[in-house]
Amino acid sequence: MKTLLLPMVLAFGALTAHAERAPRLPTLSNAAIASEARVIVKFKADSSTLRARALSATAGRDSVALMLNERAGLLGSRAGVSLSSGSPAGERAQVVMASGITSEQLAARLSADAEVEYAEPDRRMTRLAVPNDPYFSSRDAAVTPDVGQWFLRAPSSDFASSINAVGAWNQSRGGEGNERVIVAVLDTGVRRDHPDLASKLVRGADMVADIDIANDGGGRDDDPSDPGDWVSGTEANTGKFTGCSEAPSSWHGTQVAGIVGAETDNGIGVAGTGWNVRVLPVRVLGKCYGNESDIAAGILWAAGVPVAGMEANATPARVINLSLGGTGSCGRTYQEAINTAVARGVTVVVAAGNSAGHAVGAPGNCANVITVGALRHVGTKVGYSDVGPQVTLSAPGGNCVNLDSGPCLYPIVTTFNTGATVPGASGYTDYVANSSVGTSFASPQVAAVAGLMLSSQPTLTPLGVKVFLQRGARAFPTTAPAEPGLSATAQCRAPNGIDQLECFCTTSTCGAGMLDAEAAVRLASTAAAVVVPVVSAPPTASAGEAFSASVNGTVEPSGREIASVRWQVISGPAALGTTATERTVTVLPSGSGDVVVQVSVTDVLGFQSTGTATVAVSSAGTGGSGGGGGAVSLAWLLGLAAACTGLLRRRLHP
């Protein structure tokens, strides 16, 4: 059995919070708004176009405009497109415009000009988008510090571990319409009636088969609603609930779903980390715990794999979040389910665990997952978070600092239900009575950012998501402001069976660094066409005689080496003569004509690209007996040359 990573609950009074709406800001899409292509072109220093029409600092506005227009006219004539000129953008750079073409297409065409150093779209920029959800900006400052959803903002001296979702949202918001990325939340289910979730949920499933823990009659079905997971005093530590304490309903899945994908910029409640991403709720946890068999089945179903007895999942997820876990190593059931999901292109994100600095348990220690540790607001490891080499990176998990009294100062504010047992009114987690802290709430931030990355670059593989998250992560702090009542922090150490609370993270204990949503999305958005294969082959060959083709590749950025190579003949009379997965391949042409050889290369992150070479193949044995259709042999030509030489000598010397 696997135990739920329950958040710490501070049982104080209730708190009602109010906040003014933040102003609604414009949402711009560069691809959608521009009816005219706008590109910034920078000419090379030795460009003849530039030298003949150099701009002078003392030239009048009309003279400058004339020079810019002449440059644009010459460049456009070479590129075969009518260009008009905009303003200068530097000493050798200017804006050019064209109709009937996108900015990206125009930039690509102009970049090929020999006199152009670079050309890139002239993108529209706006003020950083800030959603108008009240809790994003603040809670009630008269009762508790005015922190709101601090973890989503840009990092600052007060909030070193904030993930900069605001920066990511200006690049990707999870897609639009039917193209929105789907993130599966495998948890206790969800309250579909929550006003900040109702429009973001897709049809899910209930995989909890055991009637004793299901609390809804038992059996798997298509209703992922959370009926409540409370454990009564009578049930606690008896029968199937041995080891379970008396506890109210956690509404854990509703909390996780809100962190991933609460309705954003709707003027109520909280903002979801993934803005537009949709949430696929899959109920795998019941009262006190969930069975690994149900969780593994939930992973498969969420990934679109058929599960016996269940209707097919019509909306498979690209990302799966598992804010759950238990002790021990990764079992084969978990690993095989995860491997199957990953093979289908699904990224699996798992919470590291909340056992106060001990070793990561399953499924966080499985292969092919992204395991997430938790940080305090100042960037140190929060006391409850587990550590170890299995941790991929860390994100804010919430921390209360003052554990003895008063409200929690830095919780993860999210969607909630107020019912102590059965569902009550919809609401939000409270600074006082039900604060959300734990690696359970760090993990969905990473899952949502993965959704933003996949929206920006749909071809990204699970390995690519992981690598870009790690490369974009910010370094852990080595010093942090002292908090009242806390002792000096030491460097985190490897798990050794003894609790370790707050400590300074290292890359061997808390992963590659602190989650940076903006950096991760930016890296993902530039990941296309990372490998440019160059195929070397002879321009001509003869039928029946083998020739070799080889591939080299330019890879950007560095570190994206070619992992595999696959050859094929896509046209012409030829076959591959040696192993077709090596850098060099032998091709055996069987007749005359053009032979086109193609190579497909895959880099270490799973991105693919292709290159081709065309070889003109002539007939074998031309000019021998039998003619060959009028072909002339080399011997015949040599004989003709000798005869002509003899005739010429006789004429010169009769």
Side-chain angles (χ1 to χ4, degrees):
M1 295 180 181
K2 302 298 170 186
T3 56
L4 168 66
L5 299 178
L6 293 173
M8 292 191 291
V9 178
L10 303 182
F12 295 97
L15 170 67
T16 301
H18 303 279
E20 294 182 354
R21 288 189 181 184
R24 181 180 293 272
L25 296 178
T27 300
L28 296 181
S29 169
N30 285 290
I33 60 177
S35 58
E36 182 179 53
R38 290 179 59 92
V39 169
I40 301 171
V41 174
K42 183 176 182 181
F43 291 93
K44 294 179 180 177
D46 60 352
S47 162
S48 60
T49 301
L50 184 73
R51 290 199 309 269
R53 294 157 185 83
L55 300 180
S56 169
T58 59
R61 183 175 301 175
D62 290 343
S63 297
V64 170
L66 177 62
M67 292 294 187
L68 294 176
N69 281 327
E70 289 182 357
R71 287 184 188 175
L74 289 171
L75 178 61
S77 65
R78 294 197 298 268
V81 60
S82 177
L83 295 178
S84 58
S85 176
S87 58
E91 183 181 0
R92 291 185 278 125
Q94 71 181 84
V95 174
V96 295
M97 296 163 287
S99 299
I101 190 173
T102 67
S103 296
E104 290 74 15
Q105 291 169 335
L106 180 59
R109 182 178 297 188
L110 299 182
S111 294
D113 190 280
E115 296 191 12
V116 171
E117 184 172 318
Y118 68 78
E120 61 185 10
D122 186 15
R123 297 175 297 174
R124 293 190 181 186
M125 302 291 175
T126 67
R127 303 186 309 276
L128 288 180
V130 177
N132 60 19
D133 309 84
Y135 292 135
F136 177 82
S137 298
S138 66
R139 297 291 299 253
D140 189 343
V143 178
T144 190
D146 185 21
V147 296
Q149 288 183 282
W150 59 272
F151 55 96
L152 295 181
R153 302 182 199 139
S156 66
S157 58
D158 293 327
F159 306 110
S161 65
S162 294
I163 70 171
N164 198 12
V166 172
W169 293 334
N170 282 276
Q171 302 177 71
S172 171
R173 298 189 184 176
E176 301 289 340
N178 292 331
E179 300 302 317
R180 288 180 289 177
V181 174
I182 295 175
V183 177
V185 172
L186 274 62
D187 217 289
T188 65
V190 69
R191 291 309 307 164
R192 287 187 171 275
D193 54 357
H194 197 292
D196 239 1
L197 292 174
S199 67
K200 299 296 293 293
L201 302 175
V202 297
R203 180 182 177 183
D206 180 0
M207 307 301 290
V208 180
D210 191 324
I211 190 171
D212 292 313
I213 66 171
N215 207 28
D216 64 353
R220 295 178 175 175
D221 54 47
D222 61 359
D223 183 6
S225 298
D226 188 349
D229 59 354
W230 78 95
V231 177
S232 68
T234 302
E235 294 170 321
N237 210 31
T238 61
K240 285 194 174 183
F241 297 102
T242 299
C244 297
S245 302
E246 181 180 0
S249 290
S250 69
W251 313 113
H252 193 265
T254 297
Q255 295 182 67
V256 172
I259 294 169
V260 171
E263 186 75 41
T264 302
D265 204 35
N266 63 341
I268 64 169
V270 296
T273 308
W275 196 292
N276 281 341
V277 300
R278 303 197 71 182
V279 176
L280 174 70
V282 183
R283 187 171 183 244
V284 296
L285 301 172
K287 292 162 69 75
C288 185
Y289 62 87
N291 292 309
E292 185 171 329
S293 56
D294 290 342
I295 297 168
I299 292 171
L300 295 172
W301 188 87
V305 179
V307 174
M310 298 293 296
E311 290 189 21
N313 180 5
T315 53
R318 290 297 308 273
V319 184
I320 291 174
N321 183 79
L322 297 168
S323 289
L324 51 83
T327 59
S329 61
C330 179
R332 290 188 61 179
T333 301
Y334 260 148
Q335 193 63 70
E336 290 181 6
I338 290 166
N339 289 349
T340 300
V342 170
R344 296 174 74 94
V346 179
T347 298
V348 180
V349 182
V350 188
N354 297 340
S355 61
H358 291 267
V360 174
N365 55 21
C366 293
N368 299 325
V369 301
I370 294 171
T371 302
V372 184
L375 303 171
R376 297 174 69 248
H377 65 292
V378 294
T380 52
K381 184 193 88 71
V382 68
Y384 53 76
S385 180
D386 289 333
V387 296
Q390 300 89 352
V391 178
T392 305
L393 78 168
S394 293
N399 56 281
C400 298
V401 180
N402 50 331
L403 297 177
D404 53 347
S405 64
C408 184
L409 298 184
Y410 304 101
I412 305 297
V413 188
T414 183
T415 47
F416 194 61
N417 188 279
T418 60
T421 54
V422 298
S426 297
Y428 300 89
T429 49
D430 194 286
Y431 275 64
V432 176
N434 46 46
S435 300
S436 294
V437 293
T439 57
S440 280
F441 306 119
S443 174
Q445 295 171 54
V446 174
V449 171
L452 296 176
M453 295 166 70
L454 287 163
S455 172
S456 177
Q457 180 53 265
T459 61
L460 206 58
T461 63
L463 177 59
V465 171
K466 182 175 185 177
V467 170
F468 287 142
L469 283 167
Q470 292 177 311
R471 289 186 180 177
R474 301 190 309 277
F476 297 115
T478 55
T479 61
E483 295 292 344
L486 291 178
S487 60
T489 54
Q491 192 175 75
C492 299
R493 54 166 169 74
N496 63 0
I498 301 173
D499 288 357
Q500 56 175 327
L501 301 180
E502 183 188 14
C503 53
F504 285 112
C505 283
T506 66
T507 55
S508 63
T509 53
C510 306
M514 301 186 292
L515 171 64
D516 188 318
E518 187 277 333
V521 172
R522 173 168 40 80
L523 287 170
S525 68
T526 59
V530 291
V531 176
V532 182
V534 178
V535 181
S536 298
T540 61
S542 298
E545 297 180 4
F547 65 86
S548 294
S550 60
V551 63
N552 293 310
T554 59
V555 183
E556 294 186 11
S558 61
R560 302 287 289 276
E561 293 81 9
I562 294 175
S564 64
V565 178
R566 183 173 63 87
W567 293 91
Q568 60 180 327
V569 175
I570 60 174
S571 68
L576 299 177
T578 60
T579 303
T581 57
E582 298 177 351
R583 294 292 182 95
T584 300
V585 68
T586 300
V587 182
L588 300 173
S590 57
S592 61
D594 285 347
V595 172
V596 181
V597 182
Q598 183 182 75
V599 66
S600 298
V601 297
T602 304
D603 75 1
V604 292
L605 297 185
F607 288 96
Q608 293 184 336
S609 188
T610 60
T612 59
T614 301
V615 179
V617 179
S618 60
S619 298
T622 55
S625 60
V632 179
S633 71
L634 177 61
W636 189 90
L637 288 173
L638 292 173
L640 177 63
C644 291
T645 300
L647 178 61
L648 179 60
R649 285 176 177 172
R650 285 195 297 272
R651 287 184 176 181
L652 292 174
H653 306 284

